[in-house]
Amino acid sequence: MRAQWDAIRPCEPLPPSPAARRRMARGVEFERQVVARLVASHPGACVIIDPASGERTDAEKARREAATLAAMRAGVPLIAGGRLPADEVSRRVGEPDLLVATGSGKTGYRPVDIKHHRSLRELPAGDDGQDQPAALCGTLAKPWREAAGPAPAASARKRRGDLLQLAHYQRMLEAGGLAADDGRHAGIIGTEGMITWYDLDEPSWRTRSASGRRKSRSTMAVYDFEFEFRLDIIAAAIAHLADPAEDLLVVPVRISECEECPWWSWCGPKLAEDSGDVSLLPRVGWRAWTVHRDHGIGSRAALAGLDFPTATLVAAGVDLRPVLAALGTEPGQTPISEIVGPRRRSQVSRLAAAGVTVLADARALDPRTASFSDAPLRDLPEQIDQARAALGPCPAYRRRGVAEVSVPRAEIEVDVDMENNEDGVFLWGALVTDRSGQNLAEPGYRAFSSWDAGSAAAISAKFWDWLTGLRKAVTSAGFSFRVYSYHTAAEFGQLKGIATDLGRGEEIASFLASGEWTDLLKVFGGQLITGGPIGLKDVAGLAGYRWSVTDPGGDLAMVRYDEATGTSDEALAARQWLLDYNRGDVEATLALRRWLGTSASACPSVADLGQGATAREEHG
């Protein structure tokens, strides 16, 4: 979609968000630091342009191409900030962060990119490396692949975007006769300060073939397909500009990348027209969207109009096509086992459980929903309920089978939320509620924070000591204790990540596995359905909660943290914003679980919505 709209420009593109600008700036600064280290270690290195330079004129691009080509022809061992000669035939341009010459008498160059994220993943203790082979890594002092060796207890992180970018540079090097002549290898320098090398011909990606089966493909194969597809998209877009009767190749589909796409201001309203595109529903990704498209389901209303009982059979793997094909050709009293086949006992039993024991019973099945038997979606019933909830008159519904919404409670309750950036946690917030009637704990909000980089472990240790001390005091007195957070993966990930540094690995693991820490997201999502996103900011309004700060969000919190260092008035204001925002998160968690335990049970059941008149009208 971005390639298409970049060519057509249907509206003014959105500027990058503050969080995106921050991420790009930090990436540029990290690249500058790495290049400075490399140049200091390698006096023979050639820097074509400083990473922080913003000059991108056509004349500058031509100068950089010429300078890069001259340096490569001269055999310069390390080239930074270069621009490869444009590949006019295949229509490629590219600016690899680094070009590293081959060693040991070989010729050519390998591309290396610098990324402000981790490129290694620690292997579990005792891992023999068979499933996750050790990464091939080199140092900045010896950046050549020939000097690399297996990293101890670490495997390579394979980020699709990073590797496709490297494949792009590889093809450009090959087009110019400048690539290494002993295989297609490229590297990523991550925040570990090492070069992680990748074999671009290794089958690393599971993709679908034309037959629908999944097949392992190399990075180069995936790149070649994706690049050619984008060229086709751009060609169609140019033809459409010349003649609007010419069809475009792709249409908008809601995916995770949309939030930061400059063209979302165009696609978003288009997808929301009428009853809304099915991709607006939670967890309806590209594959599910294509299945719905192939079955004539293009909107949430059409999806809501499918038959839930029939969808339940389809999702369970029951092939309803032979059953419906037999209607009108076989006697109605024919046992369903004779139609399905005696060997498919599980399908027969599922049909019987749905009240289909003889062929005549199958008249209750919906043919359009049954047509999904050729590409069964396991969560088709869930998608139908999500569509009905999205179009229903209420903001939330009880899931099928949920008669009353419940929340685990305790006499001492602590709502927890943390704020972090790439360097770790800089703020833990906790809101204590004492329901014991014994004044066991001081109620209210408390924060554990630091505005100095590199103090994440110390802040977490201070928070952990306080939390476990409170827990011990409460449980020793014979009272129950429980911690709540919304989407515990974030908090758990941070605590597990520093467990070894704190020397409390077993203690932390034991607490997190104790059942005394409740994920309120699972409590909400397991009992209620909204037809939309259910992040804390999305659902706190059900409890009537509103944040006191403007634009609350984790991405903006990282931006405000950068402003919070120092002692200026602006820094102090940023700190207060962060404290108020974090307090809002734990207050929202408390308000939401109080609502869940009281008013949420009054939400109607999604089972009562039915297929809906709107859905039936679109159904035809």
Side-chain angles (χ1 to χ4, degrees):
M1 287 309 308
R2 289 190 65 166
Q4 179 170 285
W5 294 148
D6 284 347
I8 292 178
R9 301 186 69 81
C11 65
E12 190 66 25
L14 294 171
S17 67
R21 291 198 299 271
R22 173 188 180 274
R23 189 168 57 250
M24 289 185 283
R26 286 173 67 89
V28 169
E29 175 58 20
F30 178 67
E31 181 184 345
R32 187 194 65 77
Q33 294 174 3
V34 171
V35 169
R37 290 174 59 189
L38 285 166
V39 171
S41 300
H42 304 279
C46 174
V47 179
I48 304 298
I49 191 172
D50 185 272
S53 173
E55 183 147 14
R56 293 293 186 269
T57 64
D58 289 342
E60 172 63 16
K61 292 175 183 178
R63 185 198 70 78
R64 288 174 61 199
E65 284 187 15
T68 303
L69 182 59
M72 296 174 79
R73 286 177 174 169
V76 173
L78 191 63
I79 304 170
R83 181 178 172 90
L84 291 171
D87 181 357
E88 301 287 353
V89 175
S90 297
R91 290 170 285 182
R92 293 183 177 96
V93 294
E95 300 178 357
D97 295 335
L98 297 171
L99 290 165
V100 179
T102 55
S104 304
K106 298 181 175 64
T107 60
Y109 285 83
R110 299 187 178 101
V112 173
D113 253 18
I114 302 169
K115 299 294 184 181
H116 192 225
H117 56 62
R118 297 179 65 84
S119 62
L120 297 175
R121 178 182 289 107
E122 291 186 10
L123 293 173
D127 195 303
D128 60 10
Q130 291 183 358
D131 295 331
Q132 302 180 69
L136 182 65
C137 292
T139 65
L140 298 188
K142 296 181 178 180
W144 297 275
R145 182 177 178 274
E146 289 79 7
S155 64
R157 293 178 183 265
K158 294 179 181 178
R159 298 176 184 263
R160 182 183 173 98
D162 290 357
L163 268 63
L164 291 181
Q165 189 173 0
L166 292 172
H168 180 77
Y169 301 144
Q170 176 67 29
R171 285 291 186 232
M172 292 192 70
L173 288 168
E174 291 173 355
L178 302 166
D181 56 5
D182 61 345
R184 299 184 177 97
H185 301 96
I188 293 290
I189 300 177
T191 52
E192 301 91 347
M194 306 280 288
I195 301 182
T196 302
W197 289 98
Y198 299 86
D199 181 352
L200 302 180
D201 284 327
E202 177 188 355
S204 301
W205 311 105
R206 298 283 291 173
T207 62
R208 290 188 178 275
S209 62
S211 65
R213 296 181 178 179
R214 300 188 72 81
K215 179 181 179 181
S216 293
R217 288 183 169 85
S218 69
T219 298
M220 296 306 303
V222 172
Y223 164 78
D224 287 340
F225 172 83
E226 296 289 355
F227 186 76
E228 290 299 322
F229 182 42
R230 278 155 184 76
L231 289 181
D232 291 343
I233 289 170
I234 294 169
I238 293 172
H240 178 81
L241 283 173
D243 181 2
E246 293 290 334
D247 291 335
L248 297 170
L249 282 189
V250 289
V251 296
V253 178
R254 178 78 163 89
I255 59 172
S256 60
E257 294 177 34
C258 291
E259 292 182 3
E260 291 195 346
C261 178
W263 304 112
W264 181 239
S265 59
W266 178 263
C267 296
K270 297 293 183 184
L271 290 173
E273 288 177 353
D274 300 323
S275 70
D277 188 79
V278 295
S279 64
L280 296 177
L281 295 171
R283 295 180 296 280
V284 176
W286 170 254
R287 177 181 176 271
W289 182 88
T290 59
V291 171
H292 286 303
R293 177 201 60 188
D294 294 343
H295 290 80
I297 303 297
S299 69
R300 291 184 295 187
L303 179 54
L306 296 181
D307 181 61
F308 188 88
T310 306
T312 302
L313 289 169
V314 171
V318 179
D319 189 352
L320 298 175
R321 290 172 294 178
V323 176
L324 295 181
L327 284 173
T329 63
E330 300 291 338
Q333 294 306 306
T334 304
I336 205 69
S337 59
E338 294 185 12
I339 305 298
V340 174
R343 294 184 178 180
R344 296 183 174 180
R345 295 178 182 177
S346 63
Q347 295 198 23
V348 172
S349 62
R350 288 192 175 101
L351 284 163
V356 182
T357 57
V358 296
L359 184 59
D361 299 330
R363 293 193 179 95
L365 300 175
D366 175 45
R368 191 173 193 186
T369 309
S371 70
F372 281 77
S373 294
D374 63 350
L377 296 170
R378 294 188 178 221
D379 56 349
L380 182 59
E382 165 79 4
Q383 293 176 15
I384 292 172
D385 276 352
Q386 290 282 5
R388 293 178 183 180
L391 302 178
C394 297
Y397 295 85
R398 284 179 286 114
R399 287 186 173 275
R400 294 172 187 265
V402 176
E404 184 177 359
V405 177
S406 62
V407 182
R409 301 301 300 268
E411 284 142 324
I412 299 297
E413 301 173 333
V414 185
D415 293 283
V416 168
D417 183 69
M418 64 88 192
E419 313 302 335
N420 71 295
N421 59 13
E422 299 86 349
D423 301 320
V425 178
F426 58 82
L427 171 60
W428 286 95
L431 181 61
V432 177
T433 302
D434 187 343
R435 302 174 66 240
S436 69
Q438 303 296 316
N439 295 320
L440 288 174
E442 180 183 352
Y445 173 76
R446 49 190 45 76
F448 304 84
S449 61
S450 173
W451 315 112
D452 298 322
S455 57
I459 290 300
S460 294
K462 191 174 180 180
F463 162 74
W464 186 256
D465 286 344
W466 170 83
L467 184 66
T468 53
L470 178 61
R471 179 196 186 205
K472 183 178 180 180
V474 170
T475 55
S476 297
F479 291 88
S480 57
F481 180 84
R482 188 172 290 274
V483 179
Y484 303 86
S485 59
Y486 204 84
H487 189 40
T488 59
E491 283 74 19
F492 280 21
Q494 291 295 334
L495 289 171
K496 290 177 180 177
I498 62 173
T500 302
D501 295 337
L502 297 178
R504 303 173 193 179
E506 292 185 7
E507 176 187 333
I508 289 176
S510 176
F511 188 0
L512 300 186
S514 68
E516 291 180 320
W517 196 313
T518 298
D519 187 346
L520 202 61
L521 173 62
K522 292 182 179 179
V523 173
F524 185 100
Q527 300 178 88
L528 295 173
I529 187 169
T530 67
I534 56 171
L536 184 59
K537 309 302 185 296
D538 302 301
V539 301
L542 295 170
Y545 188 82
R546 298 291 183 273
W547 275 256
S548 63
V549 300
T550 55
D551 300 324
D555 285 346
L556 184 56
M558 289 193 284
V559 176
R560 299 310 298 266
Y561 175 77
D562 291 344
E563 302 168 356
T565 56
T567 57
S568 66
D569 290 343
E570 291 79 6
L572 296 177
R575 293 181 187 183
Q576 190 59 53
W577 187 96
L578 287 163
L579 292 169
D580 291 342
Y581 165 63
N582 181 262
R583 177 194 287 267
D585 277 357
V586 291
E587 288 179 347
T589 306
L590 174 59
L592 183 62
R593 59 187 181 83
R594 283 176 172 170
W595 176 81
L596 288 168
T598 55
S599 305
S601 293
C603 292
S605 172
V606 71
D608 296 335
L609 284 175
Q611 292 179 232
T614 301
R616 284 196 296 271
E617 288 170 6
E618 182 167 332
H619 214 87

